[in-house]
Amino acid sequence: MKIHTSHSLKSQDSNDENYHYQLIDGEKYLLTDGETDWLFNWVKGKYEIASHLIENIVETDKGYVYTMQSLELGEALEQDQMFPKAVMLSDDSALQAIFFYSACEPAFFQF
C-alpha cells in the first residue's frame, strides 16, 4: 500500500480546493521530522489528538507512519475543542491539512 508523504501531497497543491489531503480510512501517511517533534515533544500526554495518533502509528525504518481513522480522528479533535484542526500544529503542515480534510465530525454520525 502506498504511503503518502508531505512532499507527495504538497506537490499536488493548487489555488483551488486541495482534496488530495482527504485520506480515507486505512490510507497511510509518513510524518515529517517536524510533525514527529510536535507529536512527541509538544502534545503527547496533553491532548487527545496525540493519543489518537500514537494509537494509530507504527514506527518504520523511514519514520512514523499514521494510518487514517477518520471518525476517531474527528472525536479526538472535538475533545480537544479544535475540530477540524489540531492544537499547536502549523497550518502549513501536510498533517494539519490531512486533519482538516479527513476528520469526520462526530455530531454528523449521532442519531
Side-chain angles (χ1 to χ4, degrees):
M1 174 175 258
K2 177 182 178 180
I3 299 175
H4 299 281
T5 65
S6 177
H7 176 75
S8 70
L9 292 171
K10 286 184 173 193
S11 67
Q12 300 174 57
D13 284 0
S14 71
N15 291 332
D16 299 321
E17 295 294 328
N18 289 306
Y19 287 106
H20 53 275
Y21 289 103
Q22 186 174 15
L23 305 185
I24 60 171
D25 288 353
E27 284 191 90
K28 299 183 182 304
Y29 172 73
L30 176 66
L31 274 68
T32 65
D33 290 343
E35 293 162 347
T36 300
D37 180 61
W38 163 81
L39 174 59
F40 290 107
N41 296 316
W42 293 97
V43 296
K44 181 181 175 186
K46 299 175 188 159
Y47 295 97
E48 286 302 312
I49 189 59
S51 298
H52 167 76
L53 287 171
I54 290 168
E55 289 172 9
N56 292 286
I57 276 183
V58 294
E59 186 175 7
T60 70
D61 58 340
K62 294 182 180 182
Y64 291 92
V65 176
Y66 168 65
T67 301
M68 172 55 64
Q69 297 296 326
S70 57
L71 183 56
E72 292 86 354
L73 169 61
E75 290 171 343
L77 295 172
E78 189 172 81
Q79 287 179 17
D80 289 339
Q81 299 179 348
M82 292 291 296
F83 186 91
K85 293 184 175 184
V87 63
M88 297 191 303
L89 182 60
S90 171
D91 285 348
D92 293 332
S93 71
L95 188 59
Q96 187 75 283
I98 289 169
F99 293 162
F100 183 82
Y101 283 99
S102 303
C104 288
E105 190 167 11
F108 181 77
F109 292 97
Q110 295 176 353
F111 299 88

